[in-house]
């Protein structure tokens, strides 16, 4: 028994070491992402801006062949990647060249950043698994464990998108920045020594309910990032279309992002895809509550805010299908819904006393 306790303690220490090591690698990835943005060429970006602001000639309609525009007097585009349309009658805008700016040097730093992110993910995942082995249970019994697992899953989902050849490398910098903040808060203020769970949590529903909640949160986070960037990019495109002159920072950053319609489409797809799983998460929690506390729903603070989050995303999906609410109005609803998720994640656990308050935090 003493040997087992010593082994568990050494595993817990190993887990802490791995989490701190992953933070060091994430920091290197952060600087690599910064280098990708800074060293990426702005030449192709400028040509994209010219294409958005220079009108065509009515007498000779423009025809685009292999990225070159003939006739009509439009600017010459250098192989635009994707042209998307957000709604009938909306403007057509090519996706930007990405953080690398279409240059070899920028792309090299981008690939280094992704490689370091993947390495940090493996190290952090090892830390989460080691934590689970040290307590011989699911590694999400308190806020520290939930936070480390959440950031691991968020990075895993991002890498999964890349693995399936999805153009989401633009998420890399905000993702790594957020992960570093999340792990910093977890290791500084939320850390809790590994220990066994209270009796109410000894259930197979811990694996089902909490794991789906973590996965849903990770995907909803990616959708929120895309939604926020959509708002900035859409305002930028509107300014160009109205003849405005954005500042140098906007040209350097926003023109490299995907078109507003592409960002909007990505956010909608991930939110719509994960919404049924979030619904299942709430149902699974209700079933678990029935087993643990003898009632399926008691309007506990965690239950209330989980339901409010569900209503928020349901309103967002409804707004997307309602004339007059597509675009920016729907995006605002999505961000409010994600804000409810964040309050449910941090605010309820830390500031509100409820039946879901275990292990201090």
């Amino acid at each position: 028994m003493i040997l087992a306790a010593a082994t568990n303690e050494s595993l817990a220490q190993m887990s802490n070491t791995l989490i701190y090591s992953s933070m060091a690698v994430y920091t290197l990835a952060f600087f690599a992402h910064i280098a990708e943005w800074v060293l990426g060429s702005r030449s192709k970006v400028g040509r994209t801006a010219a294409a958005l602001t220079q009108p065509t000639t009515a007498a000779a309609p423009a025809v685009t062949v292999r990225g070159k525009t003939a006739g009509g007097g439009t600017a010459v585009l250098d192989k635009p990647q994707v042209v998307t349309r957000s709604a009938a009658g909306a403007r057509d805008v090519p996706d930007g060249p990405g953080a690398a700016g279409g240059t070899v040097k920028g792309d090299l730093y981008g690939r280094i950043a992704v490689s370091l992110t993947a390495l940090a993910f493996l190290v952090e995942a090892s830390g989460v698994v080691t934590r689970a082995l040290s307590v011989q249970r699911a590694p999400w019994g308190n806020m520290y464990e939930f936070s480390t697992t959440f950031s691991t899953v968020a990075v895993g989902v991002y890498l999964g998108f890349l693995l399936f050849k999805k153009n989401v490398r633009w998420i890399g910098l905000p993702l790594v920045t957020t992960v570093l903040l999340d792990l910093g808060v977890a290791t500084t203020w939320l850390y809790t020594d590994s220990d066994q769970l209270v009796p109410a949590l000894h259930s197979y529903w811990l694996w089902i309910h909490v794991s789906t909640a973590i996965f849903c949160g990770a995907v909803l986070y990616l959708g929120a990032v895309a939604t926020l960037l959509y708002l900035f990019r859409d305002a930028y495109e509107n300014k160009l279309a109205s003849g405005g002159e954005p500042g140098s920072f906007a040209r350097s950053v926003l023109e490299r992002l995907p078109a507003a319609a592409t960002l909007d489409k990505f956010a909608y797809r991930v939110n719509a895809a994960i919404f049924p799983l979030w619904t299942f998460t709430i149902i699974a929690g209700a079933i678990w509550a029935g087993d643990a506390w003898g009632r399926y729903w008691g309007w506990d603070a965690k239950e209330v805010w989980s339901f409010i989050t569900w209503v928020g995303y349901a309103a967002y999906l409804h707004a997307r299908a309602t004339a007059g609410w597509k675009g920016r109005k729907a995006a605002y609803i999505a961000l409010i819904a994600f804000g409810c998720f964040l309050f449910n994640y941090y605010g309820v656990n830390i500031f509100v006393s409820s039946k879901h308050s275990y292990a201090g935090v």
Side-chain angles (χ1 to χ4, degrees):
M1 184 174 180
I2 296 177
L3 179 61
T7 301
N8 292 340
E9 181 64 26
S10 63
L11 286 173
Q13 294 176 356
M14 182 184 300
S15 173
N16 295 340
T17 301
L18 289 170
I19 295 298
Y20 280 108
S21 299
S22 71
M23 293 176 65
V25 183
Y26 277 128
T27 302
L28 295 177
F30 170 80
F31 286 116
H33 278 296
I34 291 292
E36 179 186 14
W37 280 96
V38 171
L39 300 178
S41 170
R42 303 178 186 179
S43 59
K44 295 184 179 181
V45 171
R47 286 194 287 275
T48 300
L52 295 179
T53 56
Q54 193 167 351
T56 60
T57 302
V63 178
T64 302
V65 180
R66 295 175 60 86
K68 305 299 182 180
T69 305
T74 58
V76 177
L77 288 176
D78 187 4
K79 295 183 180 179
Q81 298 177 11
V82 180
V83 177
T84 57
R85 176 172 293 164
S86 57
R91 60 183 179 273
D92 290 335
V93 179
D95 286 341
T103 65
V104 174
K105 180 183 291 186
D107 184 65
L108 173 62
Y109 280 98
R111 292 178 182 275
I112 291 174
V114 172
S115 299
L116 288 171
T117 302
L119 176 60
F121 164 76
L122 293 176
V123 175
E124 186 183 11
S126 300
V128 171
V129 172
T130 306
R131 175 81 173 198
L133 293 175
S134 70
V135 290
Q136 299 179 4
R137 59 167 173 78
W140 41 74
N142 50 62
M143 279 293 291
Y144 168 77
E145 296 174 354
F146 193 93
S147 296
T148 54
T149 306
F150 175 82
S151 58
T152 303
V153 174
V155 176
V157 172
Y158 164 71
L159 294 175
F161 275 119
L162 291 177
L163 187 63
F164 284 97
K165 309 298 182 183
K166 302 299 181 180
N167 180 25
V168 296
R169 205 162 84 184
W170 45 270
I171 298 181
L173 181 57
L175 173 65
V176 170
T177 303
T178 305
V179 167
L180 283 172
L181 291 174
D182 177 68
L183 291 178
V185 170
T187 55
T188 305
W189 291 297
L190 301 179
Y191 181 78
T192 304
D193 290 330
S194 57
D195 200 357
Q196 294 304 311
L197 300 174
V198 296
L201 294 182
H202 285 288
S203 171
Y204 61 88
W205 284 106
L206 176 67
W207 291 91
I208 300 173
H209 171 64
V210 182
S211 63
T212 54
I214 292 173
F215 180 75
C216 288
V219 177
L220 292 176
Y221 163 78
L222 298 182
V225 172
T227 301
L228 185 62
L229 293 178
Y230 156 74
L231 291 174
F232 285 110
R233 173 77 190 207
D234 183 64
Y236 175 78
E237 291 179 6
N238 287 335
K239 189 170 186 178
L240 286 176
S242 62
E245 184 67 24
S248 58
F249 178 79
R251 288 191 178 278
S252 174
V253 176
L254 296 179
E255 288 171 8
R256 303 196 206 184
L257 292 174
T262 301
L263 293 168
D264 186 41
K265 183 188 299 183
F266 175 81
Y268 170 70
R269 286 180 173 178
V270 297
N271 287 332
I274 208 64
F275 182 73
L277 190 59
W278 181 250
T279 304
F280 169 77
T281 301
I282 297 176
I283 295 173
I287 296 174
W288 186 11
D291 291 342
W293 301 321
R295 63 18 166 220
Y296 293 101
W297 194 269
W299 297 104
D300 181 72
K302 179 71 69 172
E303 297 167 349
V304 169
W305 280 96
S306 295
F307 179 68
I308 291 175
T309 303
W310 184 90
V311 171
Y313 278 104
Y316 163 73
L317 296 178
H318 179 71
R320 288 279 311 199
T322 303
W325 281 88
K326 295 180 180 179
R328 298 183 68 86
K329 291 181 180 179
Y332 292 139
I333 297 175
L335 290 180
I336 292 173
F338 185 71
C340 293
F341 173 84
L342 284 182
F343 182 78
N344 193 29
Y345 175 35
Y346 283 109
V348 172
N349 285 4
I350 297 175
F351 303 112
V352 180
S353 177
S354 71
K355 282 182 171 292
H356 289 77
S357 300
Y358 297 113
V361 289

